[in-house]
Amino acid sequence: MAFVFPLADITSTRQQPKNWLNSIIKGDCVAALNALPDHSVDAIFADPPYNLQLGGVLHRPDHSVVDAVDDEWDQFASFEMYDAFTRAWLLACRRVLKPNGTIWVIGSYHNIFRVGAIMQDLNFWLLNDIVWRKTNPMPNFKGRRFQNAHETMIWASRDAKSKGYTFNYDALKASNDDVQMRSDWLFPICSGGERLKGDDGKKVHPTQKPEALLARIIMSCTKPGDIILDPFFGSGTTGAVAKRLGRNFVGIEREQDYIDAASARIEAVEPLGGAELTVMTGKKAEPRVAFNTLVESGLIRPGQVLTDAKRKWSAIVRADGTLASGGSAGSIHRLGAKVQGFDACNGWTFWHYEEDGVLKPIDDLRTVIRNDMAKAG
Amino acid sequence: MAFVFPLADITSTRQQPKNWLNSIIKGDCVAALNALPDHSVDAIFADPPYNLQLGGVLHRPDHSVVDAVDDEWDQFASFEMYDAFTRAWLLACRRVLKPNGTIWVIGSYHNIFRVGAIMQDLNFWLLNDIVWRKTNPMPNFKGRRFQNAHETMIWASRDAKSKGYTFNYDALKASNDDVQMRSDWLFPICSGGERLKGDDGKKVHPTQKPEALLARIIMSCTKPGDIILDPFFGSGTTGAVAKRLGRNFVGIEREQDYIDAASARIEAVEPLGGAELTVMTGKKAEPRVAFNTLVESGLIRPGQVLTDAKRKWSAIVRADGTLASGGSAGSIHRLGAKVQGFDACNGWTFWHYEEDGVLKPIDDLRTVIRNDMAKAG
DNA sequence: CTCTCGTTTGAATCCTACG
DNA sequence: CCGTAGGATTCAAACGAGA
C-alpha cells in the first residue's frame, strides 16, 4: 500500500474536499484549519504547546544539563496570549469536527487547566480527563516538588447534545482483562527505537508522543476508515498510528523539518489487516507498595515498635513513614542496614511486627495491601 | 486530651487572633475567611463544590449526574457564576495564607480546569498537579465513557517568588522505598468504618475524603504545630487528620449537620505524641560547618594533601582553610569545580583524605564536628 | 553468545542563606 | 532589592563497551 503525502494547498483545500486526506498541510494551525470543510473529521488529537515558562538552566546531580523544551514555539508572553491562541485553534477545530466527533487535547499542569476551561467556555462537553502515567518520567532533580510523573488528556464531544459519538467500550473492556477501561493509563515515554533521531543522532522533535498512547486513543473513539485530524502534527505519531490502524489522517504543521521526518515515518508504516486491529494493551502496573502505604492505611501505627526476628534491634514507626532508633532515622531499608552495620538491607523481611505474641515480617502486611489494590493495577 | 470546638464568632475572629484555632467557623466561606487575620495559616486544603444550580443548591462531584444544560446562555451564566464564586474564595484564601504557605485544591474534570486557570490568574504558582487514583472507583454504568477512576489535586504556592514553602522531601522519599514521591497516588475511596454514617445508616456527607489522602498531604507540606485551614470543612477529615498528626486546624462550614458530625469525629481523635511526629530531614537541614572548622580543630592539618576518590586530582590544604592546586586556589567547592571543569561541585563529597590507607570523603569529618556540636548542645 | 556495568536521557515552571 | 557563595540534588530504560 503506497501512501503519498502531498503538502495540501491551503487556499484550495476547502473547495476541493478530501484532497487533504492522508496529507500534511504546511502552515499556521488556525489558517490551515480554516481551509478545511465544515464537519469533516471524526476525531481530533491535539498536542498544543504547553507554555512551560522555564527559568534558567537545570543541572542534574551529575552536573549534566537538562535538554529543556525551550523552543520558540512554546513561548508565550502572557496567559492572555496563550488563552487567545488556545481559543482560536479550539474554535477552528470545533467547526471542522463532525457533530458526533470527539476531540482529545493533551497537556501538563502548565497549560491543561486553561485549555480545559476554554473548552468548556466554547461549549465542548467534557467526557473524561485521562491521566497518562509515565513509567519512566524525568525525576525532580532538586527535591523541591513531587516528581511530575504524568500528563493529562481531555476527551470531549462537540457539545452536550452530541450523544452519538464513537466509544468502543466493549473492545476496550475485552482488551483490559474484561474490566472496563479506567481513566488512568500507564505507558512508557517515547524512547529507544521508536524515538525519531536525525543524522546527528539527536531527537527530531522534543516532545514525540508514544505510539501506544495514540493507539489506545484512536482505537477507543474511531472506527476503521474514520478521519483523524492532528493540528500540531510534529513528528507525526498520530499519522503513523492512524495509518497502521486503518484510519485516515490529516496533519497540520508549520516546520518543514518536522514535516519531512513525519512523511518518511508514515511512508514506512505498514497498515494492519482487519483481524489484527486489536487494541494495544498498556503496560501492566507493578504492584509497588511502599512502607508509607502501610502507615497511611492504618495497618502500621505511628509509635508502633518494630523489631528484627530475634528482637535484637528495635525501632519506632514515625508518622512520616520513617523509622527511628537511637539517634538515627531513615527508611525501613536504610535503618535496617544502619543498626546491623551493613551497606544495604531489605527492610521488608528484616523488620517484624507483633501480632498475638508472634513476630511477623512487615512484608506480610504488604500482601494485604496488594490484594486491596490489585484492582487498580 | 480534651478538644473543644467552639463555633468561632465570625465578627470577632479577626480582632482576636487565634481564638479560631482548632475550631469550626460556621458561615459562608468567603465571609468567614474575611474574618481571619492576614497571613495566618501555613496550609490550605480545599474541597470546593463543583457547580451552582439555579436554586443556589451546591452539588458535589460524584453526588448526582448533571443534567445537560442545553440553553447556551444558562450554561455560560452558570460557568460565570461558578468562576466568580471560585475567584472569591481563592482570593480570600490567598490573603489568609502565609507568604510561604501552600494550598491544595481537589476537584474532578467538571470543575478542576476552571479552578486551576483561576488560580493561575490570581497569581498562585502551581507546584504540582497530583492525581488521586482510586482503587475502587464507581463503575461507568452506561458504558459510554472511561471509568472515572481518579480525582485531581492542585498544589500551589502563594506566588512564583515563594520559594520557602515546606516540602518534606526527604521524609516522603524515605517512606517510599527510597525513591522520590510521584505525582500519582493510589488510595481507596473512603468506605467501611471510616465512613461517617448517621443514625439512619446513611452516609453523613456525600464526598467524605479518605484520611490516608489527607495524611499524605499534611505530612508533605506542613510541620508539627502548623495551622491548616479547610474552607469547605464538610465531615472534617482535614481536622481529624490534622489533630492526629499534631497540627492545628481551622474549618469553615455552613451546615450545622456537618459541623455536628465533624465535631464529634474530631473529639474522638487521639493525637500522636512527640517522638513519632518528628519529620525526617536531609542534609539541607544540618547545621553548616565550614571547612575552616576542620582545620582549626586539627582534624585536617595545613599542608595535608586531599585527592578525589580516584586520586586523579589532588590539592594541598592551606592554613586559612582554602585549598591550592597547580597555581589555583579557593574553597573546597570552587577548587573541586575548577579541577573538574564544572560550574559547581560539592567539595565535601569530592575531596578525600587518607586514613589507614583508605580514602574517605572529608564529609565524614564534618559529621564528627556535628556530633561534637550536638553533645555540647 | 551472555552478562555486567557504566553512560545517557526524557514536556522541568527544580536552592538558599547571607551580606 | 541583588550578588555571591555554600553545597545539595535523580528514576527508569535503553544502549554500548568490555568481560
Side-chain angles (χ1 to χ4, degrees):
Chain A
M1 187 172 180
F3 267 65
V4 192
F5 305 101
L7 296 187
D9 179 356
I10 290 185
T11 58
S12 66
T13 43
R14 201 157 178 174
Q15 285 72 38
Q16 302 176 355
K18 308 288 180 179
N19 77 336
W20 40 267
L21 217 55
N22 298 311
S23 74
I24 306 171
I25 303 173
K26 179 173 181 175
D28 169 71
C29 165
V30 174
L33 282 166
N34 287 343
L36 293 175
D38 287 356
H39 309 320
S40 54
V41 306
D42 299 283
I44 297 173
F45 175 80
D47 184 11
Y50 287 9
N51 188 24
L52 284 188
Q53 308 174 63
L54 302 177
V57 290
L58 178 63
H59 290 266
R60 294 188 171 84
D62 66 0
H63 305 295
S64 64
V65 174
V66 175
D67 183 17
V69 179
D70 50 5
D71 304 67
E72 171 271 329
W73 48 254
D74 198 48
Q75 310 294 323
F76 292 83
S78 63
F79 283 137
E80 287 74 20
M81 300 279 286
Y82 187 79
D83 290 352
F85 162 76
T86 301
R87 213 172 281 115
W89 72 257
L90 276 170
L91 209 50
C93 278
R94 197 159 187 279
R95 183 188 60 78
V96 170
L97 193 60
K98 290 183 184 176
N100 276 320
T102 57
I103 178 171
W104 293 75
V105 186
I106 187 169
S108 66
Y109 67 87
H110 310 86
N111 71 323
I112 199 65
F113 301 113
R114 315 200 74 81
V115 169
I118 291 170
M119 287 178 75
Q120 290 181 313
D121 290 343
L122 296 182
N123 243 358
F124 284 104
W125 189 245
L126 306 197
L127 298 170
N128 278 114
D129 59 334
I130 301 290
V131 173
W132 168 27
R133 304 175 52 220
K134 303 180 183 184
T135 58
N136 48 351
M138 189 182 293
N140 183 288
F141 294 113
K142 303 294 187 187
R144 291 299 292 145
R145 304 181 178 195
F146 296 94
Q147 182 184 29
N148 193 10
H150 74 275
E151 293 187 26
T152 301
M153 294 177 289
I154 297 173
W155 182 43
S157 63
R158 208 167 173 284
D159 56 66
K161 297 189 301 291
S162 307
K163 300 288 189 187
Y165 58 87
T166 297
F167 180 56
N168 300 315
Y169 175 82
D170 295 307
L172 285 161
K173 184 175 177 181
S175 73
N176 194 42
D177 290 343
D178 288 321
V179 294
Q180 57 183 215
M181 189 68 77
R182 296 166 49 107
S183 55
D184 50 344
W185 301 355
L186 183 68
F187 289 109
I189 59 176
C190 182
S191 67
E194 187 184 323
R195 189 86 195 216
L196 296 187
K197 303 215 172 82
D199 297 334
D200 54 1
K202 289 182 178 173
K203 56 192 176 194
V204 167
H205 193 279
T207 70
Q208 183 180 342
K209 295 294 176 289
E211 296 197 0
L213 185 73
L214 267 295
R216 183 173 293 175
I217 289 172
I218 289 174
M219 291 303 289
S220 73
C221 70
T222 68
K223 295 177 165 57
D226 276 1
I227 303 171
I228 299 151
L229 164 70
D230 186 335
F232 305 96
F233 204 59
S235 56
T237 306
T238 303
V241 177
K243 180 181 174 187
R244 183 158 52 79
L245 297 180
R247 273 73 170 170
N248 298 290
F249 71 88
V250 201
I252 299 172
E253 176 54 51
R254 286 194 315 186
E255 301 199 20
Q256 189 62 45
D257 288 350
Y258 296 158
I259 292 174
D260 294 342
S263 299
R265 174 187 187 183
I266 296 169
E267 179 72 34
V269 168
E270 205 58 49
L272 295 175
E276 304 163 272
L277 291 182
T278 53
V279 180
M280 311 211 96
T281 53
K283 182 159 174 151
K284 268 292 162 198
E286 72 292 6
R288 263 204 52 189
V289 177
F291 185 65
N292 62 353
T293 310
L294 269 54
V295 179
E296 288 163 343
S297 71
L299 288 173
I300 292 280
R301 304 179 318 279
Q304 189 171 344
V305 174
L306 303 182
T307 69
D308 67 298
K310 295 178 179 172
R311 299 185 199 268
K312 185 170 176 187
W313 294 287
S314 68
I316 186 172
V317 176
R318 302 198 296 193
D320 63 358
T322 61
L323 294 189
S325 177
S328 301
S331 68
I332 54 171
H333 311 296
R334 297 301 337 144
L335 198 73
K338 175 119 187 174
V339 297
Q340 298 177 91
F342 293 160
D343 285 343
C345 163
N346 182 351
W348 288 109
T349 51
F350 176 72
W351 294 109
H352 290 60
Y353 70 103
E354 190 172 329
E355 192 177 60
D356 304 326
V358 183
L359 285 182
K360 298 178 179 178
I362 56 176
D363 203 25
D364 288 2
L365 295 174
R366 202 156 55 150
T367 60
V368 175
I369 296 280
R370 281 210 179 103
N371 291 338
D372 288 349
M373 298 202 162
K375 278 168 281 183
Chain B
M1 186 171 181
F3 266 63
V4 191
F5 304 99
L7 297 187
D9 178 357
I10 290 185
T11 58
S12 65
T13 43
R14 201 157 179 173
Q15 285 72 38
Q16 301 178 356
K18 308 288 181 179
N19 77 336
W20 40 268
L21 217 55
N22 298 311
S23 74
I24 307 171
I25 303 174
K26 180 173 181 174
D28 169 71
C29 165
V30 174
L33 283 166
N34 286 342
L36 293 176
D38 287 355
H39 310 319
S40 54
V41 305
D42 299 282
I44 297 174
F45 175 81
D47 182 12
Y50 92 106
N51 216 338
L52 287 167
Q53 275 194 336
L54 291 175
V57 181
L58 297 177
H59 281 241
R60 292 188 167 260
D62 24 322
H63 185 213
S64 62
V65 178
V66 191
D67 26 340
V69 182
D70 39 13
D71 185 313
E72 209 162 302
W73 169 251
D74 280 352
Q75 193 177 33
F76 185 72
S78 74
F79 277 138
E80 265 200 335
M81 285 175 68
Y82 186 79
D83 291 353
F85 163 76
T86 302
R87 211 171 283 115
W89 72 257
L90 277 170
L91 209 50
C93 279
R94 196 159 187 281
R95 183 188 60 78
V96 170
L97 193 59
K98 290 184 184 177
N100 276 322
T102 56
I103 179 171
W104 294 76
V105 186
I106 187 167
S108 67
Y109 67 85
H110 304 92
N111 71 324
I112 198 66
F113 301 114
R114 315 200 74 80
V115 169
I118 291 170
M119 288 178 75
Q120 290 181 312
D121 291 342
L122 295 182
N123 241 2
F124 284 104
W125 191 244
L126 306 196
L127 298 170
N128 280 113
D129 59 334
I130 300 291
V131 174
W132 167 28
R133 305 174 52 224
K134 304 178 184 182
T135 57
N136 46 353
M138 187 181 297
N140 182 286
F141 294 110
K142 292 180 180 171
R144 292 299 291 147
R145 304 180 182 198
F146 296 94
Q147 182 183 27
N148 194 12
H150 74 275
E151 291 188 30
T152 301
M153 295 177 288
I154 297 173
W155 182 43
S157 63
R158 209 167 173 283
D159 57 66
K161 298 189 303 293
S162 307
K163 299 286 192 183
Y165 58 87
T166 297
F167 181 54
N168 298 317
Y169 175 81
D170 297 288
L172 286 161
K173 181 175 175 176
S175 73
N176 192 43
D177 272 359
D178 292 317
V179 293
Q180 56 184 212
M181 189 69 77
R182 295 168 47 111
S183 56
D184 50 344
W185 302 355
L186 183 65
F187 288 110
I189 61 175
C190 182
S191 62
E194 188 185 322
R195 188 85 197 217
L196 296 188
K197 302 212 173 82
D199 297 332
D200 54 0
K202 290 182 179 174
K203 54 193 177 192
V204 166
H205 194 278
T207 68
Q208 183 180 341
K209 295 291 176 290
E211 296 198 0
L213 184 73
L214 267 296
R216 185 172 297 177
I217 289 172
I218 289 174
M219 290 304 294
S220 73
C221 70
T222 68
K223 296 176 165 60
D226 276 1
I227 302 171
I228 300 151
L229 165 70
D230 186 335
F232 305 96
F233 204 60
S235 56
T237 306
T238 303
V241 177
K243 180 182 174 188
R244 183 163 54 81
L245 296 178
R247 274 73 170 170
N248 299 291
F249 70 89
V250 201
I252 299 171
E253 177 54 51
R254 288 196 315 188
E255 300 200 22
Q256 190 62 45
D257 287 350
Y258 295 159
I259 292 175
D260 294 342
S263 299
R265 175 187 186 183
I266 296 169
E267 178 71 32
V269 169
E270 205 56 48
L272 292 171
E276 53 256 42
L277 288 180
T278 307
V279 177
M280 187 186 158
T281 56
K283 290 173 88 174
K284 274 181 186 165
E286 297 286 309
R288 277 199 181 177
V289 175
F291 182 66
N292 201 14
T293 310
L294 269 57
V295 180
E296 287 166 350
S297 70
L299 289 171
I300 292 281
R301 304 179 317 278
Q304 190 172 343
V305 173
L306 303 183
T307 70
D308 68 297
K310 294 178 179 172
R311 299 184 200 269
K312 187 171 174 184
W313 294 287
S314 67
I316 189 166
V317 177
R318 305 200 293 193
D320 62 355
T322 61
L323 296 188
S325 175
S328 299
S331 71
I332 54 172
H333 311 296
R334 288 288 137 233
L335 199 72
K338 175 123 189 173
V339 297
Q340 296 178 93
F342 289 158
D343 288 344
C345 165
N346 183 347
W348 290 109
T349 52
F350 178 72
W351 295 109
H352 290 61
Y353 69 102
E354 190 170 329
E355 192 177 64
D356 304 328
V358 183
L359 285 182
K360 296 180 180 177
I362 57 175
D363 202 27
D364 289 2
L365 297 174
R366 190 165 57 156
T367 61
V368 173
I369 297 279
R370 282 186 177 137
N371 289 341
D372 290 349
M373 290 167 59
K375 273 178 216 158

